[in-house]
Amino acid sequence: MALFWCTEALPLAVTALFPVVLFPMMGIMDSTAACSQYLKDTNMLFIGGMLVAISVEKWNLHKRIALRVLLIVGVKPALLLLGFMIVTAFLSMWITNTATTAMMIPIAQAVIEQLYSSEEKVDELVVDRADKSECQPNGNAKQLTENVKVTPDNEQNGNINQAFEMPEKHLTIEEPIKQEKSATVLEIDLENDKLNKDKQARRLKKHLKLCKGMSLCVCYSASIGGIATLTGTTPNLVMKGQMDELFPGNNNIINFASWFGFSFPTMVLLLALSWIWLQFLFLGTKFKKNFGCGRKPEQKEKEKRAYQVIVSEHKQLGSMSFAEICVLVMFTLLVLLWFLRDPGFMPGWATISFNKGGKEYVTDATVAIFIALMMFIFPSELPSCKYLELQQANKSHKNGRIRPPPPLLDWKTVNEKMPWNIVFLLGGGFALAKGSEESGLSTWLGDKLTPLQSIPPVAIALLLCLMVATFTECTSNVATTTLFLPILASMAKVIHLNPLYIMLPCTLSASLAFMLPVATPPNAIAFSYGQLKVVDMARSGFFLNIIGVLVITLAINSWGFYMFDLGTFPTWANSTGKP
């Protein structure tokens, strides 16, 4: 399965179905036990989260949030880059990284194109004004030459000899001036054309560089934002499922609140460092200019036109509809219920009302499915007694027909947008982990890694994060976490190290796929616009991978160390899952 997942000779979801056939035939697990791994609590959490995300996408609530934040941030280069990164990371916390990138990159491209076209128009206006100012002195000179008509040689008795004057004027004054002027104008035009071409080439190069930076900031921040929440990206759910499968007595140590408390500061720090790195790489080191300090009038005009693009996009959405308000309320309620179910520092609503006797009846999946069901029930319009068709239009119903308002979410939309393959992929990972445990493979691999006990835990975590971050560049992050986490859990048990100390940072490292277009779908979407080269992504992504590994290592050894009490070997780590 590892070979098929790495090479993708078969679709990932198809490979994930192998345990259903192979484990019963090999005598590892019976068919019922193998199939039960494919729809566990974690799968339902994923489905519920995706249903809410699909509702947000259906009513364009995510686009309204994005444009509103961009209107607040503005279009100064550095702040524009930061604005797109913040919006993309925030949306990626709740909806899929792929959907976020697919929505944000066209908006970014439209803004950048408007900046470029505005700069061209401003430059043309400046050139026209310069041409007019050049023509004005020449006109004055011509007026002066026309006024010089009388010379001592062509004055007779105080009268002007007209027949003599006209030829003399053209031969001695007008003709040399015209010749000199035409030669000068030709030289100036050639020089201006050369300068304009050079300026246009520099402007195009600057525009292309900014386009590259904007595309990379969107796809990178989508991957970074996904690590902040438990449902933000699939590897996080794989981690949650593997913990519950391999260590069933872990007292729900990984839930939405605990994950957010650890990962959100990590995401913010990594996003800030990524912004500084991309700004240095694509905007240069003139930070005052990047932040719009000391702007020229033409620069202000250019930014004003780009800002109008965002304003017009926002106006096209109109005022918030009843459906958008309902989805926003449901989404906010979901987040609050997740946070307050079992916050850790105080008893949660689920602990007080449902989870009694040390048994957990209500989980994060229960909350997600509850809100998703509400999406299918609540109407998208205010209920009213409007007639869909009048008697003249619908003769079969003399009194007309009342149209019920459609719900916030319908199954047709879900069937089109739900990534069902991820459900099977998650199940295949859980089945593989269970099979490794039942067959003794995990214990054998853990024993082989016993020499690592002599290495300091900090070095172990750092090396494993680097290995996972490198491996995830060549294969999907879901497959990476599915393959590595059971082995890491067995190794931690053998060397008596808290399993979270290595499983948690390695899970986050699986999302650090920044170097190659094929590493993750957001990278592929950004690369498909044709402005990026592989070397551009590899150059910026390599250093960003190093930054990401260092930030995650810092997080697990600072606030994460005390949050999860990683300095002790927990009692639940000695227990194993039951068949």
Side-chain angles (χ1 to χ4, degrees), residues 185-456:
V185 168
L186 182 60
E187 292 177 0
I188 292 175
D189 287 343
L190 290 174
E191 189 174 345
N192 286 341
D193 288 342
K194 185 178 179 181
L195 290 174
N196 288 335
K197 287 181 180 179
D198 292 341
K199 190 174 183 179
Q200 188 175 5
R202 288 195 303 270
R203 185 169 61 241
L204 184 61
K205 184 179 179 181
K206 179 183 175 184
H207 167 69
L208 182 60
K209 199 171 184 180
L210 187 57
C211 285
K212 290 179 180 181
M214 197 63 68
S215 298
L216 287 176
C217 88
V218 170
C219 66
Y220 287 169
S221 53
S223 297
I224 293 170
I227 71 175
T229 60
L230 190 58
T231 58
T233 185
T234 313
N236 303 354
L237 292 171
V238 173
M239 161 72 182
K240 164 70 173 170
Q242 297 283 16
M243 280 293 297
D244 294 341
E245 179 68 29
L246 299 173
F247 307 106
N250 64 65
N251 301 321
N252 195 33
I253 193 170
I254 294 296
N255 54 42
F256 191 90
S258 63
W259 184 282
F260 187 85
F262 169 74
S263 298
F264 182 74
T266 309
M267 183 272 289
V268 172
L269 182 57
L270 181 54
L271 194 70
L273 293 176
S274 303
W275 172 59
I276 294 172
W277 167 241
L278 291 175
Q279 185 184 172
F280 170 77
L281 201 61
F282 295 101
L283 297 180
T285 56
K286 297 179 180 178
F287 296 108
K288 289 181 65 177
K289 183 179 178 182
N290 294 340
F291 281 93
C293 299
R295 292 174 297 165
K296 297 180 180 179
E298 54 267 25
Q299 181 70 19
K300 292 182 180 179
E301 178 67 23
K302 179 180 70 171
E303 292 176 358
K304 184 179 178 181
R305 289 175 179 269
Y307 188 79
Q308 289 302 318
V309 173
I310 303 176
V311 172
S312 62
E313 287 277 342
H314 188 263
K315 283 184 178 180
Q316 287 179 7
L317 295 176
S319 58
M320 285 190 73
S321 63
F322 177 76
E324 285 181 88
I325 295 173
C326 287
V327 171
L328 180 60
V329 171
M330 293 284 189
F331 174 75
T332 307
L333 180 61
L334 172 66
V335 176
L336 290 176
L337 289 175
W338 267 340
F339 273 114
L340 300 177
R341 184 186 68 84
D342 187 14
F345 58 88
M346 68 176 187
W349 59 266
T351 306
I352 296 172
S353 304
F354 302 101
N355 299 340
K356 303 290 185 178
K359 192 170 184 179
E360 194 171 15
Y361 291 96
V362 174
T363 65
D364 289 331
T366 312
V367 178
I369 295 298
F370 168 71
I371 297 297
L373 288 175
M374 293 299 102
M375 294 289 187
F376 285 99
I377 296 172
F378 271 73
S380 59
E381 299 175 7
L382 281 171
S384 61
C385 295
K386 293 180 181 178
Y387 288 106
L388 179 63
E389 297 165 340
L390 298 176
Q391 185 175 353
Q392 293 82 359
N394 190 357
K395 296 180 180 179
S396 59
H397 297 274
K398 294 183 179 180
N399 296 325
R401 181 162 56 91
I402 296 176
R403 177 175 64 90
L408 292 172
L409 188 61
D410 59 271
W411 190 253
K412 181 180 179 183
T413 305
V414 171
N415 207 30
E416 291 174 354
K417 295 189 175 183
M418 174 66 77
W420 297 108
N421 58 319
I422 300 297
V423 178
F424 292 109
L425 187 57
L426 284 170
F430 299 151
L432 183 63
K434 189 68 175 178
S436 300
E437 181 186 337
E438 293 295 320
S439 63
L441 176 63
S442 296
T443 305
W444 180 80
L445 289 173
D447 292 337
K448 295 298 180 183
L449 295 173
T450 305
L452 291 176
Q453 193 169 7
S454 59
I455 301 176

